[in-house]
Structure formats: structure tokens, C-alpha cells
């Protein structure tokens, strides 16, 4: 339809559809999954939230419970050097400090254990998207999802939004599995949500002369990015998932987001960027997945873990 009408609709926030069905559905599913997490912890420890042996600051299940329901936890996904398959972890029902009830890695990881006797739960690249470390974590993410991500879905349509959301979420977990702390489980839809926030960066960059008060919007996006990175230092949350989701979201948005070009030069630049954005995500997925299963990422970047945690004697592994 006419260019002037597209620009006007853009300024009024009118997109391809009226209702964000995928964002609403995902929110409902994630709330249901968190209830399930709480029930698992309640059955094991007698309370929906972990208070012993340590308090979960996000008001959520214990570490073992989060691992058991599908958090990203590298020892459940592959054999880790220096961590034998016979190594024991605190059981779900353990509340003592030090733990007095120990279980095998296979038992803590759940899902029927390891087929073939070797850690192989690849689906943990996906399941953490639906899990949350606690009530506070869930509330913050669902707020962002219902207000930021939902608007992105209205603008780009449910199919494109679905592809972007899960590409960002999964890539964030692939990146985190490579470089975050091996012994720390990670959960949350934050990486996927950061992917939808990346759409706003693409929108601002390519529609600088169209959007309302672009400088103010840029400042808000920077503040949002700083806040998200700060959140990544909280236990069970991972900055690699955040930044990996943002990074992948930029590529996916470049390919899928409807960009309005008002000049031939702008249209040419947009086309070139779209073409460049097509192969890079595939290459990154392949390289990082292969690196996760065949290499030892710390050899390449021993200090990368500190992007998600402060240096201490407790996080050397």
C-alpha cells in the first residue's frame, strides 16, 4: 500500500496483525511451567521455593530441581573433562549443608537418565527458554514479553516472530553452553526476549527519520541493555544467553522485519544487509554447536565466564 500510509501506520504502532497470539501463548505456557517447577520442589523439599540449604534469591526452586526440570546444565549435555559420570550431586530432597543425600548426575538430570550411559541431553538448548529461576525472574520476563515482545509480534507477524524468538533463545543457550560456568545451571526466556529487543535496534537504525523522538528511544534502549546485562550476574541467569539472543536477534530481524525504505539508496543498503544476514546465523550455529561437542571452549576464552559472574574461588570451573 502507499508509502505515506505505511509510514503513518508505523508511527502509530500499527503492524501486520492486531493481536500477539504467540507472545500470549508463550506467556501462558511459561506460567504453567513455573507452577510445575514449584510443584517439583514442593514434593521434594516440602516448600515451593528453596530455602535450604541455600535461599534462591529469585524465590524459586533449588538448583537440583531446576536441573531436573530442564535447565541448561552442561554435565547433563555432554561428558565434561574432570567430572566423571559417577560424580554425585545433592538430591532434589536434600536440605542439609553440607548435603547428606547424594544422587548421580543421571538421577539429578532426570528425563529417564542418559541413554547409552553418556550425558546427551541436547534438548537443554531449548527447554531453558520455558523455565525460570523464580517468581521474580518470571515476573520480569513476562512483563517484558507482554509489553515489548508482544508489540514486536504485532509489527512483524506471528510466523516471523516465532522464528526470531526461538532462533534467539536457542542461540543464546548454545553460546552460554560454550562459555558460561560449567557448574551453574541457566534458565529463562531472557535470550529470546533480548532477540525481540534487537528488533527495536534494527527498527531504530533503519527508521531513524521515521520513528518518534529517535534519540530518546536510543537512550532507553541503552538503559535497557545495561539493566539486562546487570541481571545476568544474578544466579541461574546468564549474560551469554542475553547477549547471544540479542546478537542472533539482530540477524533474524534484519531478514524478517518489515523495513520501510523511502529512497533508492536506503533500499539498496537494506537489501545488502539482508543478504549478508542470511548465511551468518547458520555458520555461527554450526561452528558453536560443533565447538561445544568437540572442543574445550575455556581453552579459547578462559576469562569469558566472568561475563556472567564475578571472579572468585568458587567459579574456577
Amino acid at each position: 500500500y502507499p508509502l505515506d500510509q505505511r509510514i503513518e501506520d508505523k508511527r502509530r504502532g500499527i503492524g501486520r496483525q492486531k493481536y500477539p497470539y504467540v507472545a500470549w501463548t508463550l506467556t501462558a505456557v511459561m506460567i504453567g511451567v513455573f507452577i510445575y517447577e514449584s510443584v517439583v520442589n514442593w514434593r521434594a523439599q516440602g516448600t515451593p521455593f528453596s530455602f535450604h540449604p541455600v535461599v534462591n534469591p529469585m524465590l524459586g526452586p533449588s538448583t537440583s530441581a531446576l536441573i531436573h526440570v530442564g535447565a541448561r546444565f552442561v554435565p547433563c549435555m555432554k561428558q565434561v573433562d574432570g567430572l566423571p559420570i559417577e560424580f554425585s550431586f545433592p538430591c532434589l530432597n536434600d536440605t542439609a549443608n553440607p548435603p547428606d543425600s547424594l544422587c548421580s548426575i543421571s538421577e539429578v538430570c532426570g528425563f529417564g537418565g542418559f541413554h547409552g550411559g553418556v550425558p546427551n541431553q541436547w534438548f537443554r538448548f531449548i527447554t531453558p527458554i520455558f523455565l525460570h529461576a523464580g517468581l521474580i525472574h518470571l515476573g520480569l520476563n513476562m512483563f517484558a514479553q507482554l509489553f515489548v515482545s508482544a508489540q514486536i509480534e504485532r509489527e512483524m507477524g506471528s510466523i516471523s516472530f516465532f522464528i526470531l524468538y526461538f532462533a534467539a533463545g536457542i542461540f543464546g543457550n548454545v553460546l552460554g553452553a560454550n562459555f558460561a560456568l560449567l557448574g551453574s545451571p541457566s534458565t529463562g526466556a531472557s535470550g529470546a526476549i533480548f532477540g525481540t529487543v534487537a528488533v527495536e535496534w534494527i527498527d531504530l537504525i533503519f527508521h531513524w527519520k521515521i520513528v518518534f523522538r529517535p534519540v530518546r528511544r536510543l537512550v532507553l534502549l541503552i538503559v535497557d541493555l545495561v539493566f539486562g546485562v546487570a541481571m545476568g550476574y544474578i544466579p541461574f541467569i546468564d549474560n551469554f544467553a542475553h547477549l547471544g539472543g540479542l546478537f542472533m536477534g539482530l540477524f533474524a530481524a534484519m531478514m524478517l522485519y518489515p523495513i520501510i525504505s523511502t529512497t533508492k539508496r536506503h533500499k539498496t543498503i537494506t537489501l545488502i544487509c539482508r543478504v549478508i544476514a542470511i548465511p551468518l546465523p547458520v555458520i555461527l550455529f554450526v561452528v558453536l554447536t560443533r565447538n561445544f561437542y568437540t572442543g574445550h571452549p575455556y581453552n579459547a576464552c578462559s576469562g569469558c565466564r566472568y561475563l556472567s559472574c564475578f571472579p572468585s574461588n568458587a567459579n574456577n570451573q
Side-chain angles (χ1 to χ4, degrees), residues 282-301:
V282 177
I283 294 172
L284 288 171
F285 262 115
V286 172
V287 170
L288 286 173
T289 301
R290 182 180 182 278
N291 189 58
F292 173 73
Y293 283 110
T294 63
H296 197 300
Y298 283 0
N299 293 338
C301 185

Side-chain angles (χ1 to χ4, degrees), residues 134-145:
L135 194 60
I136 297 173
H137 189 200
L138 177 73
L140 290 172
N141 272 358
M142 295 307 96
F143 178 83
Q145 187 158 278

Side-chain angles (χ1 to χ4, degrees), residues 1-316:
Y1 56 100
L3 179 61
D4 291 343
Q5 184 62 50
R6 292 180 64 194
I7 294 174
E8 179 61 25
D9 288 347
K10 172 66 187 171
R11 288 171 174 166
R12 294 171 58 190
I14 299 174
R16 291 180 172 177
Q17 63 189 57
K18 186 176 181 180
Y19 299 111
Y21 298 110
V22 173
W24 287 350
T25 301
L26 287 170
T27 300
V29 170
M30 289 172 186
I31 292 173
V33 170
F34 181 72
I35 293 173
Y36 169 71
E37 295 175 44
S38 302
V39 170
V40 169
N41 200 81
W42 177 73
R43 287 178 174 174
Q45 297 188 348
T47 60
F49 304 150
S50 176
F51 297 107
H52 301 286
V54 294
V55 175
N56 181 336
M58 304 298 281
L59 297 179
S62 67
T63 299
S64 294
L66 289 172
I67 295 171
H68 192 73
V69 297
R72 194 192 75 226
F73 189 59
V74 173
C76 296
M77 303 169 72
K78 72 170 186 176
Q79 183 68 56
V80 176
D81 293 341
L83 187 67
I85 193 69
E86 299 82 12
F87 191 86
S88 297
F89 285 84
C91 297
L92 269 69
N93 62 353
D94 184 77
T95 58
N97 191 10
D100 57 9
S101 178
L102 299 175
C103 293
S104 67
I105 298 177
S106 179
E107 290 174 309
V108 174
C109 292
F111 296 96
F114 304 143
H115 302 292
V118 179
N120 55 3
Q121 296 180 351
W122 58 267
F123 52 81
R124 290 178 185 267
F125 288 129
I126 304 171
T127 52
I129 298 173
F130 298 93
L131 302 169
H132 287 85
L135 194 60
I136 297 173
H137 189 200
L138 177 73
L140 290 172
N141 272 358
M142 295 307 96
F143 178 83
Q145 187 158 278
L146 288 173
F147 287 92
V148 178
S149 302
Q151 179 56 30
I152 297 302
E153 183 183 353
R154 292 186 183 99
E155 293 183 16
M156 66 189 305
S158 292
I159 296 176
S160 295
F161 175 83
F162 183 90
I163 295 171
L164 180 143
Y165 188 95
F166 281 99
I170 295 171
F171 182 77
N173 283 317
V174 171
L175 187 66
N178 272 275
F179 298 115
L181 285 172
L182 293 176
S184 179
S186 176
T187 63
S190 304
I193 293 171
F194 262 71
T196 65
V197 172
V199 178
E200 294 205 3
W201 283 91
I202 294 296
D203 180 25
L204 180 63
I205 293 170
F206 283 85
H207 296 144
W208 185 270
K209 295 182 179 181
I210 295 177
V211 298
F212 178 68
R213 299 177 71 176
V215 175
R216 176 177 178 271
R217 187 172 173 184
L218 175 61
V219 171
L220 291 175
L221 285 174
I222 293 173
V223 171
D224 179 68
L225 178 60
V226 171
F227 176 76
V229 171
M231 285 286 294
Y233 283 90
I234 296 175
F236 310 122
I237 305 176
D238 175 19
N239 265 332
F240 287 99
H242 291 178
L243 299 180
L246 180 71
F247 190 67
M248 182 56 61
L250 292 172
F251 286 115
M254 193 66 250
M255 291 185 286
L256 301 171
Y257 189 69
I259 295 174
I260 301 173
S261 295
T262 57
T263 66
K264 185 176 181 179
R265 179 174 179 270
H266 186 279
K267 186 175 183 179
T268 301
I269 293 174
T270 300
L271 180 60
I272 293 173
C273 290
R274 288 191 193 278
V275 171
I276 294 173
I278 293 173
L280 289 180
V282 177
I283 294 172
L284 288 171
F285 262 115
V286 172
V287 170
L288 286 173
T289 301
R290 182 180 182 278
N291 189 58
F292 173 73
Y293 283 110
T294 63
H296 197 300
Y298 283 0
N299 293 338
C301 185
S302 60
C304 283
R305 73 192 77 173
Y306 300 124
L307 186 61
S308 275
C309 66
F310 296 106
S312 73
N313 291 332
N315 54 35
N316 286 329

